[in-house]
Amino acid sequence: MLTWHLDRLVRSATLCLLAAVVITGAMGFVIKAGSDVSNVLGGLLVGALIMGVGGIVGSMGTTGFGALLFSFIASLANPGAPTLLLAGCVVVIALLLVDLSITLRRAPLIDRRVWIDSVVNAAVVSALGAALFGVAWLVGTLATWQAVVLPFGVVALGYAVRLAADSHTKRYRS
Amino acid sequence: MTPAERPPELIDATHIMLTGTRELRQRTPLFNVLTVLTVAASVGAMGARRPEFLGLVAPLIALLALGFARWRPVVGEVRLGIDAPHLVEGDEFAVLVEVDGGDEGLERVEIELKLGERVSARGTLRSVTSVAAGTTRHLAFPVSADEWGVGTIEQVTIRVTDRFGLFGGTVSRSANVSMRIGLAEDRLKASLEADRFRRVVGSHLSSDRGQGLEIADIRPYLPGDSMRDINWRITNRRQEPWVTLRHPDRSATVVVIVDAHDGESDARSTTQRRSVAAAMALARGHLSNHDPVGLLVVGHTVRWLPPRLGRNQLHRIADELISVSNAPDASLRMYRPPAIHNIGKETIVVAVTPLRDPLMVSLIAELRSRGNTIAVLAPEVEEEPPSRIPFVVEGRTSTLARRLASAEQAVGIQSLRAHGVVMVPWAVDEPVTAVIDAVRRLRQSMRRVTS
């Protein structure tokens, strides 16, 4: 019974939550290192802790608030494009980890494929996010395009959401 | 697949279809959080004219895009059953769950079981798994059968999400899986071998006080010996009359009547369980003394087991009583069982009933009028707890009806006592052995008075 309790404490949900807080906290230090704005680290750590609290209470809303705070303070820190991309990847991975920790509460039996899928998801999302950012950065930094990219960007974003929603609705009806 | 690798077959499987279930087509909280973050960060990046802010939002957009691209309607099925056809107390068995992934597969499935009475978990009752398209995942949850009766798995909760946790939902269904848990073999053996119940249940009069079947000794013929006792083989060998001495046959046929009428409330259900426990103790005790024991269950159902000997009879009685302990409250009407004509006049009858129904009173009176020795164990019903709803005024009619029923019950008990039926009230906190002992003492004292 003792081993079961230890197992419950140190595995799965607890580990996922700990990992989420640790990587966002570590990301806070990385952002602080690349930023000359003062008092950034405290805000970033508070954001990371709120995400952790959201995982403990099983509320994705609270976790989302922590992620929003973290992202906002990270953008204020002005650390540079690669660091912000890394921060974005960390936030997404932390969100996935908190979601997984909520799923894995009360020590269930866990299939190995769940772990493999989670790792693959994090890697694929990070890679795709980086590629997407690369394209956006390329377009955004072109001098001739800089003036037009913002309005086109808004339209493109809205259109993408519309397409995605339509696609979802069609499948839902099917 | 070798036989060793083949998953065990599900017994009494329950099927739960996931295909087309609306509850599984919801957006998850993670999706909502990602959408809010994406919109906020995108608007911020564009408003501030800072393309590097898109670094924060690009992974979020990537995750949402992947989620939309890979979303498929949930197709699948969950089957639930157990791996053992026969269970006895203390057995460990597995609740088997088969998750069929359908054509699309189920990328993340959580299964959680909720157990009912008489069974308990030997580990976790949750599992998180992933099922590839066209395959079936087999899960086994270890469970132990704690107590004799009908054990149930009350509910199964299934949560299905897509690979990224963006779409999905939860369904909870009644599992409808039940298993009959028999008495453990060692308990049966103990009850059939030991003689301790003789002291508790008490000795009863033999139906035949003459010769038994079991040979005790042989000796030369003495004047007064019956001619029927002469052992002709030994007489022939010794050339003088010898007789066989036999142990007196002290066995008596016993029929236990169980009132399965109660059960519409918690308190009455408890009374019914006590009745069943007492009936089982009586049956065990008498069978351990090689008395043929029969069972008559009356109430919303009538069941009759003719008196027999042996362990198999105890198994049969236990099986019947399992049904009583889980009988639905199908009817509040008690019917006069036709089986009472099969109860012999020499049979000792022990009825376990609170005597709330007049038909039960008349049944016992009828048996007594035929000359049967009858004892009644009357379990007292626990007081109903007061209603938690304030200002509930009980109607005058129901108060009068309750008083009338109580008076009728008292008259019935008085009438049975007058006819020589041994009545033993059984308090809620009194152990069953003590009350059976009380029956024995009362019956002996009544016999002394009448002789």
Side-chain angles (χ1 to χ4, degrees):
Chain A
M1 189 54 80
L2 178 66
T3 51
W4 184 73
H5 279 299
L6 284 175
D7 190 39
R8 194 176 62 160
L9 274 174
V10 298
R11 86 168 185 193
S12 56
T14 317
L15 277 184
C16 287
L17 198 58
L18 208 60
V21 174
V22 165
I23 61 169
T24 40
M27 192 64 228
F29 281 99
V30 171
I31 292 170
K32 170 73 176 71
S35 165
D36 49 3
V37 180
S38 58
N39 298 330
V40 167
L41 184 61
L44 290 170
L45 290 182
V46 167
L49 283 176
I50 290 175
M51 290 175 75
V53 169
I56 290 170
V57 300
S59 160
M60 276 312 291
T62 310
T63 306
F65 177 72
L68 193 63
L69 184 67
F70 186 90
S71 305
F72 180 66
I73 294 173
S75 63
L76 287 183
N78 205 10
T83 311
L84 277 177
L85 174 64
L86 191 61
C89 292
V90 165
V91 166
V92 165
I93 291 169
L95 286 172
L96 289 174
L97 279 171
V98 170
D99 182 55
L100 197 60
S101 82
I102 293 171
T103 301
L104 302 184
R105 282 196 298 179
R106 287 182 283 135
L109 302 167
I110 305 165
D111 190 353
R112 200 176 55 181
R113 277 194 59 183
V114 173
W115 296 116
I116 296 170
D117 283 353
S118 301
V119 173
V120 171
N121 287 351
V124 168
V125 166
S126 300
L128 195 64
L132 204 65
F133 176 65
V135 173
W137 178 255
L138 191 68
V139 173
T141 50
L142 284 175
T144 49
W145 283 87
Q146 207 165 11
V148 292
V149 74
L150 286 176
F152 273 101
V154 173
V155 172
L157 190 67
Y159 192 64
V161 170
R162 169 78 187 273
L163 279 179
D166 284 351
S167 161
H168 179 68
T169 310
K170 274 180 193 167
R171 288 212 182 104
Y172 182 85
R173 282 181 183 158
S174 68
Chain B
M1 188 182 284
T2 63
E5 291 170 338
R6 193 172 298 136
E9 194 178 339
L10 268 69
I11 298 164
D12 296 335
T14 297
H15 297 247
I16 298 167
M17 288 300 292
L18 303 179
T19 309
T21 309
R22 280 194 171 275
E23 294 101 309
L24 301 178
R25 294 177 168 185
Q26 314 290 322
R27 293 187 304 272
T28 63
L30 178 61
F31 175 87
N32 297 334
V33 164
L34 284 173
T35 308
V36 169
L37 281 174
T38 304
V39 170
S42 303
V43 169
M46 285 183 271
R49 292 174 181 260
R50 298 281 297 276
E52 65 267 27
F53 286 177
L54 290 176
L56 277 172
V57 79
L60 304 175
I61 293 174
L63 182 55
L64 282 173
L66 282 171
F68 275 117
R70 288 187 59 87
W71 185 84
R72 302 281 184 279
V74 173
V75 175
E77 185 187 6
V78 172
R79 292 181 289 277
L80 194 74
I82 56 172
D83 67 344
H86 303 291
L87 294 169
V88 293
E89 277 178 330
D91 269 1
E92 286 200 10
F93 63 103
V95 179
L96 302 174
V97 180
E98 288 182 359
V99 188
D100 187 356
D103 296 335
E104 302 286 348
L106 299 168
E107 290 172 317
R108 195 189 291 172
V109 193
E110 295 171 46
I111 305 284
E112 183 164 11
L113 303 178
K114 185 182 173 192
L115 300 179
E117 290 179 333
R118 299 187 178 91
V119 286
S120 64
R122 307 301 295 174
T124 181
L125 292 177
R126 290 186 76 226
S127 180
V128 181
T129 187
S130 171
V131 188
T135 63
T136 302
R137 180 75 62 189
H138 302 271
L139 307 171
F141 299 95
V143 174
S144 71
D146 292 339
E147 189 189 347
W148 160 78
V150 176
T152 53
I153 301 165
E154 279 187 0
Q155 196 179 56
V156 56
T157 303
I158 304 159
R159 182 167 185 251
V160 181
T161 59
D162 66 339
R163 187 188 179 103
F164 303 100
L166 300 181
F167 302 103
T170 306
V171 286
S172 290
R173 296 280 186 270
S174 172
N176 288 329
V177 174
S178 60
M179 65 286 307
R180 293 169 77 90
I181 303 166
L183 283 163
E185 194 64 22
D186 55 343
R187 277 183 61 184
L188 282 174
K189 272 184 189 166
S191 64
L192 289 178
E193 283 166 5
D195 195 37
R196 60 198 170 89
F197 269 103
R198 173 67 77 183
R199 289 194 297 275
V200 177
V201 178
S203 307
H204 37 258
L205 289 176
S206 167
S207 57
D208 180 6
R209 298 179 191 219
Q211 303 297 315
L213 289 173
E214 198 175 342
I215 295 172
D217 202 357
I218 52 171
R219 62 165 169 74
Y221 178 83
L222 292 174
D225 284 342
S226 169
M227 291 293 284
R228 286 189 298 180
D229 292 339
I230 292 178
N231 188 321
W232 294 107
R233 184 177 291 175
I234 294 173
T235 300
N236 187 36
R237 196 181 301 157
R238 304 208 174 190
Q239 296 299 312
E240 60 172 342
W242 277 60
V243 291
T244 304
L245 301 179
R246 295 172 189 273
H247 285 300
D249 187 358
R250 295 188 63 80
S251 71
T253 305
V254 177
V255 167
V256 181
I257 299 179
V258 179
D259 184 351
H261 184 219
D262 296 312
E264 66 261 38
S265 68
D266 285 349
R268 292 184 177 189
S269 182
T270 308
T271 309
Q272 193 186 64
R273 283 180 64 82
R274 290 169 67 216
S275 302
V276 166
M280 196 62 207
L282 282 164
R284 270 188 201 169
H286 284 278
L287 284 171
S288 72
N289 292 322
H290 305 288
D291 296 334
V293 176
L295 178 72
L296 178 62
V297 178
V298 289
H300 48 72
T301 174
V302 176
R303 290 168 189 269
W304 167 242
L305 278 181
R308 282 195 187 123
L309 283 166
R311 189 183 304 170
N312 284 343
Q313 179 71 350
L314 190 52
H315 274 298
R316 280 190 286 267
I317 289 172
D319 270 355
E320 288 298 334
L321 290 176
I322 283 174
S323 308
V324 173
S325 68
N326 288 273
D329 309 322
S331 162
L332 298 179
R333 178 74 182 154
M334 180 180 279
Y335 298 100
R336 185 182 176 281
I340 60 164
H341 295 297
N342 299 327
I343 298 174
K345 287 179 182 171
E346 305 297 332
T347 303
I348 294 173
V349 177
V350 183
V352 189
T353 168
L355 288 175
R356 202 177 286 115
D357 196 301
L359 279 173
M360 192 69 187
V361 176
S362 66
L363 173 72
I364 292 170
E366 185 179 341
L367 282 169
R368 181 64 190 147
S369 67
R370 290 168 53 196
N372 288 93
T373 305
I374 299 184
V376 174
L377 286 185
E380 289 172 3
V381 180
E382 206 169 356
E383 286 295 319
E384 296 274 355
S387 172
R388 289 180 182 176
I389 307 167
F391 312 118
V392 172
V393 181
E394 199 172 40
R396 191 159 175 266
T397 312
S398 58
T399 309
L400 283 174
R402 184 169 295 134
R403 285 174 59 188
L404 194 62
S406 180
E408 199 172 28
Q409 186 183 11
V411 168
I413 290 172
Q414 196 59 40
S415 144
L416 289 179
R417 276 206 176 109
H419 283 87
V421 174
V422 177
M423 301 289 302
V424 179
W426 181 12
V428 174
D429 52 351
E430 199 173 5
V432 65
T433 49
V435 81
I436 292 173
D437 198 31
V439 174
R440 178 183 64 85
R441 278 188 272 109
L442 195 56
R443 221 170 52 205
Q444 281 176 348
S445 65
M446 286 175 76
R447 208 161 44 232
R448 275 197 297 273
V449 169
T450 51
S451 62

